[in-house]
């Protein structure tokens, strides 16, 4: 039957015959095309993209562009992953054993490898405590999704990684921002945090080491955070993607408490310098059985919405975790620490800027004394003009809900770090205005 004949044919009855006593009920139909985006898509907004896409980023053609804005350690090519990591991937591909579908939560052997690598005497893990995900971003998404319902609220650090808010708002979850304190190396303002908790608070997100701050919490501060969480009965989502990417390693949150349940999110992206491989994981720490079986089952069901992490990377995972030499990690950390010291030293001497020395991750935050730069309205205006005049792009911290700061990525080669700092210094000297000496200032 051709299309025209089909369109003219009589409707079938419920019995499948043409005509008869029970003709098919006519169905209502749209009179015109009307395809609209979903509410979830309308509510999905990445604050970084919203700010950066609106900036006029036209570099100075006389100066090569130095981008210190993207949290991707592979951009400049000076921080390659280790040969052992590459060999593990080659072996997995050559084996032809990892070309099919894996269980949505990951291969059992790969999950056991992560459990063995991340397990500590104070926070033991088994394969059943690990769910493999498509990058740490999906780990965060699944964790928020299993803990929260629409109308609930989550506690998010300010300044903090923008993805938390992007995911939560798209799910109909309210975001409450708790303050970090730059004068205390970005420790959490615990009093402010506690004041935000109510009966609909479903999750406390703790980022340690921190993006964007580069801070690493002390054992004492982590214990204080756990005390608040325990007192208020709020589970923790611990974003630990930068775990051990620190100048001196400290304890994880989960290792300090058997009472507070923790979903710890991590992955290969940053420590192994392979963000494009999209391998993340969730570690379920629930020694007091607060989550019970339901949260675990919920994570399994949510993981089934897609078919999990890349199977080839899963096949290489055991070798990556076990065979990467310690010198690879220490070399990366040494580079980041050196750049942090250079950047902090150089910018501390620039009038109008107040850098905060980091202790981990890949970032350094710099405060701007905006009163001394009256030409600029805010940090976005400041960083936009920095691109125009000096071809240096730093991310304005308004993207992290924290105006009058900017974030510098520390993964560049040392010579570019020095060059970038020199250009920032030149820019600030051109626009810095010292305190006025009018009568009001003299009276103070």
């Amino acid at each position: 039957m051709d299309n025209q004949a089909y369109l003219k044919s009589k409707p079938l009855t419920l019995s499948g015959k043409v005509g008869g006593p029970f003709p098919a009920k006519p169905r209502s139909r749209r009179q015109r095309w009307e395809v609209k985006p979903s509410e979830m898509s309308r509510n999905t907004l990445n604050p970084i993209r919203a700010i950066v896409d609106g900036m006029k980023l036209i570099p100075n053609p006389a100066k090569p562009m130095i981008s210190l804005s993207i949290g991707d350690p592979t951009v400049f090519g000076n921080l390659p992953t280790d040969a052992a990591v590459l060999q593990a991937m080659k072996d997995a591909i050559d084996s032809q054993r990892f070309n099919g579908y894996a269980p949505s939560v990951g291969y059992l052997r790969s999950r056991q490898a992560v459990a063995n690598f991340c397990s500590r005497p104070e926070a033991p893990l088994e394969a059943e405590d690990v769910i493999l995900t498509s990058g740490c971003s999906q780990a965060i998404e699944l964790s928020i999704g299993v803990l929260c319902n629409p109308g609930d609220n989550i506690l998010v650090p300010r300044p903090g990684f923008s993805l938390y808010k992007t995911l939560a708002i798209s799910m109909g979850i309210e975001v409450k921002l708790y303050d970090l304190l730059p004068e205390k190396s970005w420790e959490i303002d615990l009093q402010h945090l506690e004041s935000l908790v109510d009966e609909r608070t479903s999750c406390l997100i703790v980022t340690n080491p921190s993006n964007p701050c580069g801070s690493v919490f002390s054992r004492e501060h982590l214990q204080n955070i756990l005390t608040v969480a325990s007192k208020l009965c709020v589970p923790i989502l611990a974003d630990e993607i930068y775990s051990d990417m620190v100048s001196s390693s400290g304890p994880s949150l989960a290792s300090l408490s058997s009472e507070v349940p923790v979903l710890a999110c991590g992955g290969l992206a940053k420590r192994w310098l392979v963000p494009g491989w999209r391998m993340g994981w969730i570690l379920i720490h629930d020694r007091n059985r607060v989550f019970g079986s339901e949260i675990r089952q919920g994570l399994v069901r949510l993981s089934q919405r897609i078919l999990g992490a890349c199977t080839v990377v899963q096949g290489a995972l055991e070798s990556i975790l076990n065979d990467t030499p310690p010198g690879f990690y220490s070399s990366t950390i040494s580079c980041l620490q050196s750049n942090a010291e250079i950047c902090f030293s150089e910018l501390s001497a620039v009038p109008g800027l107040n850098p905060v020395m980091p202790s981990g991750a890949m970032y350094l935050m710099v405060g701007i004394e905006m009163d001394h730069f009256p030409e600029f309205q805010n940090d976005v205006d400041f960083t936009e003009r920095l691109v125009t005049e000096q071809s240096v792009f730093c991310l304005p911290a308004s993207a992290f809900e924290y105006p009058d700061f900017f974030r510098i990525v520390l993964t560049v080669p040392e010579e570019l770090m020095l060059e970038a700092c020199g250009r920032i210094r030149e820019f600030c000297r051109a626009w810095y205005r010292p305190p006025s000496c009018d009568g009001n200032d003299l009276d103070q």
Side-chain angles (χ1 to χ4, degrees):
M1 181 185 294
D2 60 26
N3 288 340
Q4 292 298 322
Y6 169 76
L7 292 171
K8 294 178 180 178
S9 64
K10 295 180 180 180
L12 297 177
T13 65
L14 295 178
S15 65
K17 298 178 180 180
V18 176
F22 303 109
K25 183 178 179 180
R27 289 178 294 180
S28 61
R29 64 181 181 86
R30 295 190 178 114
Q31 300 301 312
R32 63 182 183 276
W33 286 102
E34 192 174 1
V35 182
K36 297 180 179 180
S38 68
E39 287 301 312
M40 176 178 283
S41 70
R42 290 179 186 273
N43 292 332
T44 299
L45 176 67
N46 185 325
I48 293 178
R49 293 265 48 95
I51 289 175
V52 172
D53 290 349
M55 297 174 72
K56 298 180 180 66
L57 300 176
I58 304 174
N60 182 342
K63 298 186 177 186
M65 183 70 169
I66 303 176
S67 180
L68 305 178
S69 62
I70 303 174
D72 181 345
T74 72
V75 168
F76 291 91
N78 60 310
L79 292 174
T81 193
D82 191 76
V85 178
L86 297 177
Q87 189 59 51
M89 280 291 282
K90 293 172 186 176
D91 292 344
I93 292 170
D94 289 343
S95 75
Q96 296 272 10
R97 291 165 43 220
F98 307 107
N99 296 333
Y101 292 124
S104 64
V105 294
Y107 291 122
L108 180 61
R109 183 166 179 172
S110 303
R111 295 165 66 201
Q112 187 63 58
V114 173
N116 293 343
F117 187 82
C118 298
S119 187
R120 300 291 181 271
E122 307 84 3
L125 292 164
E126 300 293 339
E128 65 180 11
D129 302 316
V130 178
I131 292 180
L132 301 184
T133 61
S134 181
C136 188
S137 296
Q138 194 203 11
I140 294 167
E141 179 183 27
L142 296 183
S143 297
I144 293 174
V146 80
L147 294 175
C148 307
N149 287 307
D152 287 350
N153 64 74
I154 62 173
L155 307 179
V156 171
R158 176 173 56 199
F161 184 36
S162 62
L163 181 68
Y164 310 139
K165 183 175 182 179
T166 298
L167 292 172
I169 297 299
S170 72
M171 298 179 193
I173 299 163
E174 181 187 0
V175 172
K176 293 186 175 183
L177 302 171
Y178 65 83
D179 290 333
L180 305 182
L181 303 172
E183 68 274 14
K184 293 187 176 182
S185 298
W186 302 108
E187 286 189 348
I188 296 173
D189 183 338
L190 294 174
Q191 185 175 0
H192 182 232
L193 168 67
E194 187 168 347
S195 73
L196 298 175
V197 176
D198 61 24
E199 68 278 358
R200 295 305 300 268
T201 302
S202 299
C203 173
L204 163 61
I205 296 181
V206 177
T207 316
N208 184 51
S210 169
N211 175 12
C213 303
S215 56
V216 179
F217 295 147
S218 67
R219 172 183 289 269
E220 180 183 7
H221 191 58
L222 290 173
Q223 289 172 329
N224 290 338
I225 295 168
L226 288 162
T227 297
V228 172
S230 175
K231 172 184 174 182
L232 300 173
C233 299
V234 178
I236 291 177
L237 191 171
D239 182 350
E240 297 178 347
I241 188 60
Y242 295 99
S243 176
D244 293 321
M245 213 172 186
V246 297
S247 53
S248 58
S249 60
S252 67
L253 262 173
S255 69
L256 297 178
S257 172
S258 62
E259 181 178 357
V260 177
V262 176
L263 296 181
C265 300
L268 294 183
K270 304 305 169 75
R271 189 179 179 192
W272 285 267
L273 308 177
V274 287
W277 290 11
R278 311 311 301 139
M279 173 55 65
W281 51 71
I282 302 171
L283 309 178
I284 305 169
H285 294 280
D286 186 30
R287 297 189 296 284
N288 208 32
R289 299 189 182 279
V290 175
F291 286 151
S293 63
E294 291 189 351
I295 293 297
R296 293 173 182 270
Q297 292 168 1
L299 284 169
V300 172
R301 287 192 291 268
L302 288 176
S303 74
Q304 292 168 347
R305 296 171 66 181
I306 66 170
L307 287 172
C310 173
T311 54
V312 176
V313 185
Q314 289 189 55
L317 195 51
E318 185 174 10
S319 293
I320 291 173
L321 298 177
N322 295 337
D323 299 340
T324 304
F328 166 73
Y329 306 125
S330 59
S331 176
T332 303
I333 293 169
S334 177
C335 173
L336 296 174
Q337 187 172 5
S338 176
N339 275 346
E341 291 169 355
I342 289 170
C343 189
F344 179 79
S345 176
E346 292 288 318
L347 299 187
S348 291
V350 177
L353 297 185
N354 296 303
V356 182
M357 183 64 186
S359 300
M362 314 185 309
Y363 312 104
L364 182 147
M365 287 277 275
V366 182
I368 314 167
E369 296 176 5
M370 295 303 304
D371 290 346
H372 294 304
F373 297 97
E375 178 70 19
F376 309 116
Q377 296 181 7
N378 49 42
D379 59 312
V380 176
D381 196 17
F382 181 98
T383 52
E384 182 180 80
R385 191 77 69 88
L386 180 59
V387 173
T388 302
E389 297 186 11
Q390 296 292 339
S391 297
V392 175
F393 183 26
C394 305
L395 201 60
S398 288
F400 306 109
E401 310 279 355
Y402 210 79
D404 300 343
F405 275 75
F406 60 87
R407 187 192 74 174
I408 289 178
V409 174
L410 300 170
T411 55
V412 300
E414 183 175 306
E415 61 272 18
L416 284 184
M417 189 84 267
L418 285 165
E419 173 68 18
C421 288
R423 294 190 200 177
I424 294 171
R425 181 172 59 248
E426 182 181 337
F427 174 80
C428 290
R429 284 177 176 172
W431 293 107
Y432 180 81
R433 302 292 178 262
S436 61
C437 293
D438 57 24
N440 290 334
D441 285 334
L442 293 173
D443 290 339
Q444 292 178 357

